[in-house]
Amino acid sequence: MADTGAPARAADTKGPDSKVLDSKVLAEAAKRRTFAVISHPDAGKSTLTEALALHASAITQAGAVHGKAGRRGVTSDWMAMERARGISITSAALRFDYHSTMLNLLDTPGHADFSEDTYRVLSAVDCAVMLLDSAKGLEPQTLKLFDVCRSRSVPVITFVNKWDRPGREPLELLDEIEQRIGLRPAPVNWPVGVAGDFRGLIERTTGEYITFTRTPGGAGRALETRLDAEAAAARDGDAFVTAQEELALLDEIYGGLGDAEGRLDDLGMESFLAGLTSPVLFGAALPNFGVRRLLDAVTTYAPPPAMRADIKGEPRPVDAPFSGLVFKVQANMDPAHRDRMAFVRVCSGRFERGMVLTHAATGRPFATKYAQSMFGQDRETVEEAFPGDVIGLVNATALRPGDTLYAGDVPVEFPPIPSFAPEHFAVVRGKEAGKQKQFRRGIEQLDTEGVVQVLASDLRGDQAPVLAAVGPLQFDVVLHRLEHEFGARAELDHLDYTLARRTDADGVRALAGQRAVEVLTRRHDGAILALFSDKWRLGQVQRQHPDMMLELLIAG
Ligand code: G4P
């Protein structure tokens, strides 16, 4: 890479004290667990997020993080849209301490349309909690997200939620996990009482029985009581006996689980990290039952940050000089802070506010004076951060999701985050002639954030670019944000294309004037995309031009 012109302060950590710093970085990295919750909308992700933070003593009353109805209010237009639609569009990065572990929970957007966004988040975590609704088991969005985890080798812990409500048999749920996604379930605890009649949880390795007492509205930590076998049998009679029988069956079907402290044994851990086994826990996020056990599971099973392969396939150790991956960019998250934030996952080294980093894509220096950490909608300045942490960089106009930032003279770049093939296309136009400048600025901004892909051609001109999305809800987000953040009301004209393929200059010539095909250029990287009405039209073109480049654009 060319000389970046970065000042001498560009912090190469390899000075005289580098050994001390390296060991501090390693010790700090070992304390961190960076994870995300993946689930189908409504399975209870927001509720669980709050319950986890509550248990970790980060907040005293559930409801502070996502500002659910009837709890703490939300402030931004952006959030207002999210609330009105009942879906989670924005990503919050939460950070809380649990005993001596620092947990970084990256929120994944909850709607199927935002799989591209979610994909980016999952490239920044070391582990995922797969949340299932006990009545529904594996749902379409869970399956999709699980596939992403598998393709990125992210190990998965399973939490079966809503056990306080009628649901399915626990053994049937385990069987579904094994049969449908080929993941070997390793139950860590076992519910006493069927779903809807939740009596308590038996710890599988120790046999310890824990019952829960609900706090009013589930707003506080549920009280846990430990009972011995005699007291349990006296209290929960048949339900306890049935659970014991099921536990015996589990050993037969799935084998035993780890050591007496409830840890997976070496083999189990290996198979979990390889994505073959998933520890399974039962509970109910709303009344906070079994949530502490899930926190324990995350701290014991989820791997700490490890070395990450760069674009050349070379692993970058966690104690190498600072490097980070931009996994999300978002502007105007809160009207009180009209700015643009890039979320960066620290991959190696120590981040210190004020460092001047290098932006790998352009080779330009990037100042980090305004680094922040987030807690839901609240922000505070971050002075230092270590591998696994997420920092928010303000005024990050040049950064795009997938970009790498690094310190020191030795360039490093992580592989780009692949993007999904768009399936929905629409022309967008500003409604007011006097607001064209705002319109163009807004489109440019949303393109940079990766909210939607922006395609253009000489034929259509700058005033009417084509938007390409994985799901149609992305278009609503574009219109809403253009109007509310940029003051440019816009309208859409949906196009009858459903497929995009990447092509080259020869393809452009051959496709000129073809029916039900259009060639456009993707703004952010100059890729030439051919849009087709459907797979039959694509098939026809492929048969007519067997040598034409028509590359699939798929996350891989
Ligand atoms: P999401 O983020 O995955 O979309 O789900 P969210 O947490 O919003 O939960 C969806 C609904 O399921 C909410 O009810 C929530 O209270 C409920 N829920 C979550 N976990 C549990 C649980 O363990 N037990 C029971 N019984 N319910 C649970 P809602 O009525 O849609 O919303 P709200 O008015 O309660 O916020």
Side-chain angles (χ1 to χ4, degrees):
M1 189 168 290
D3 182 11
T4 64
R9 175 133 170 75
D12 188 341
T13 54
K14 301 289 173 194
D17 296 331
S18 69
K19 283 228 157 37
V20 180
L21 180 57
D22 290 352
S23 65
K24 179 167 163 96
V25 169
L26 288 175
E28 291 292 334
K31 282 197 242 169
R32 278 150 173 88
R33 300 291 182 275
T34 301
F35 69 109
V37 177
I38 57 171
S39 70
H40 193 83
D42 264 354
K45 184 158 58 67
S46 314
T47 311
L48 180 69
T49 302
E50 287 166 11
L52 286 168
L54 171 79
H55 268 263
S57 306
I59 51 177
T60 48
Q61 274 244 317
V65 179
H66 284 252
K68 278 250 152 182
R71 300 178 189 162
R72 209 174 94 169
V74 285
T75 44
S76 76
D77 308 344
W78 183 230
M79 295 291 281
M81 176 176 168
E82 177 186 3
R83 196 172 35 167
R85 286 190 160 273
I87 53 166
S88 166
I89 299 175
T90 56
S91 267
L94 303 185
R95 154 95 184 256
F96 42 86
D97 294 350
Y98 181 64
H99 300 310
S100 52
T101 309
M102 285 173 183
L103 296 164
N104 292 307
L105 171 52
L106 276 51
D107 192 10
T108 49
H111 196 279
D113 278 3
F114 286 78
S115 46
E116 194 156 16
D117 240 4
T118 306
Y119 199 96
R120 295 177 190 143
V121 172
L122 291 176
S123 55
V125 299
D126 301 316
C127 181
V129 171
M130 178 167 76
L131 179 68
L132 306 183
D133 181 324
S134 66
K136 299 190 174 145
L138 292 168
E139 296 179 82
Q141 178 73 345
T142 338
L143 291 170
K144 231 169 152 178
L145 294 170
F146 172 75
D147 279 344
V148 175
C149 289
R150 174 169 276 164
S151 73
R152 300 206 68 92
S153 306
V154 174
V156 171
I157 296 172
T158 304
F159 186 74
V160 182
N161 190 29
K162 304 195 187 180
W163 206 258
D164 60 322
R165 284 221 304 230
R168 289 164 50 185
E169 291 284 332
L171 283 167
E172 189 192 315
L173 287 164
L174 297 191
D175 193 49
E176 183 177 6
I177 294 171
E178 185 158 37
Q179 299 303 327
R180 288 191 65 191
I181 56 179
L183 203 55
R184 184 172 160 273
V188 170
N189 57 17
W190 197 249
V192 173
V194 292
D197 179 26
F198 192 8
R199 311 283 184 92
L201 290 166
I202 299 178
E203 190 63 28
R204 180 123 176 263
T205 48
T206 59
E208 191 176 38
Y209 181 43
I210 299 161
T211 63
F212 304 91
T213 312
R214 203 181 174 123
T215 54
R221 270 186 273 195
L223 271 177
E224 297 188 3
T225 311
R226 281 163 176 72
L227 298 182
D228 60 24
E230 206 178 315
R235 178 182 182 265
D236 291 318
D238 288 349
F240 188 71
V241 174
T242 306
Q244 296 287 359
E245 287 166 2
E246 287 168 340
L247 279 170
L249 202 60
L250 282 184
D251 287 348
E252 256 174 57
I253 308 175
Y254 301 111
L257 177 93
D259 66 12
E261 266 86 57
R263 288 191 291 257
L264 295 175
D265 55 23
D266 285 349
L267 211 62
M269 239 357 232
E270 231 172 77
S271 136
F272 161 65
L273 294 175
L276 303 173
T277 297
S278 177
V280 179
L281 297 99
F282 292 82
L286 189 64
N288 286 295
F289 295 173
V291 173
R292 178 195 56 80
R293 188 63 187 90
L294 177 61
L295 276 172
D296 287 337
V298 171
T299 49
T300 32
Y301 305 144
M307 55 174 82
R308 178 177 280 257
D310 67 13
I311 201 162
K312 293 179 231 136
E314 280 168 30
R316 185 169 179 89
V318 281
D319 57 348
F322 173 86
S323 65
L325 174 75
V326 178
F327 66 93
K328 184 174 176 65
V329 175
Q330 188 161 353
N332 309 329
M333 282 175 73
D334 183 337
H337 306 267
R338 287 260 178 219
D339 53 23
R340 183 170 151 163
M341 177 94 96
F343 294 84
V344 180
R345 140 97 197 215
V346 181
C347 301
S348 67
R350 173 172 173 264
F351 170 83
E352 187 189 356
R353 189 169 68 85
M355 259 178 161
V356 177
L357 304 172
T358 304
H359 177 211
T362 58
R364 294 215 178 96
F366 186 92
T368 61
K369 191 168 159 208
Y370 301 105
Q372 299 184 328
S373 68
M374 274 71 53
F375 187 89
Q377 284 295 293
D378 298 332
R379 304 170 176 198
E380 51 184 64
T381 303
V382 61
E383 294 300 336
E384 64 171 4
F386 292 95
D389 287 343
V390 171
I391 46 179
L393 297 177
V394 184
N395 293 331
T397 39
L399 303 185
R400 300 187 64 95
D403 282 358
T404 302
L405 289 168
Y406 63 88
D409 300 327
V410 186
V412 59
E413 191 162 3
F414 294 111
I417 304 173
S419 58
F420 276 80
E423 291 174 12
H424 302 267
F425 304 88
V427 179
V428 61
R429 284 189 192 83
K431 273 187 175 168
E432 294 145 281
K435 297 278 178 71
Q436 284 306 319
K437 212 169 115 198
Q438 289 88 330
F439 172 77
R440 277 203 297 274
R441 201 161 54 83
I443 290 291
E444 194 182 321
Q445 172 62 34
L446 299 175
D447 183 25
T448 319
E449 283 181 33
V451 169
V452 73
Q453 296 180 28
V454 179
L455 316 179
S457 68
D458 291 344
L459 214 65
R460 292 191 180 272
D462 240 15
Q463 317 246 342
V466 172
L467 305 182
V470 176
L473 188 65
Q474 280 171 264
F475 293 145
D476 293 355
V477 173
V478 169
L479 292 185
H480 182 92
R481 292 189 58 188
L482 279 175
E483 179 174 348
H484 295 273
E485 289 170 27
F486 300 92
R489 290 194 304 127
E491 60 192 357
L492 292 177
D493 194 358
H494 290 271
L495 298 173
D496 283 335
Y497 303 116
T498 62
L499 289 172
R501 291 288 184 275
R502 196 183 174 122
T503 189
D504 56 9
D506 290 342
V508 176
R509 276 189 289 279
L511 290 170
Q514 292 252 13
R515 173 184 58 82
V517 179
E518 181 169 349
V519 178
L520 293 149
T521 305
R522 191 159 62 188
R523 249 171 62 167
H524 81 83
D525 60 359
I528 306 172
L529 304 192
L531 313 189
F532 297 87
S533 53
D534 51 47
K535 62 181 181 202
W536 293 280
R537 186 71 189 105
L538 169 65
Q540 264 177 348
V541 170
Q542 278 170 324
R543 281 192 298 279
Q544 283 163 4
H545 305 276
D547 297 329
M548 186 187 290
M549 172 185 168
L550 288 170
E551 210 176 83
L552 198 62
L553 304 149
I554 286 273

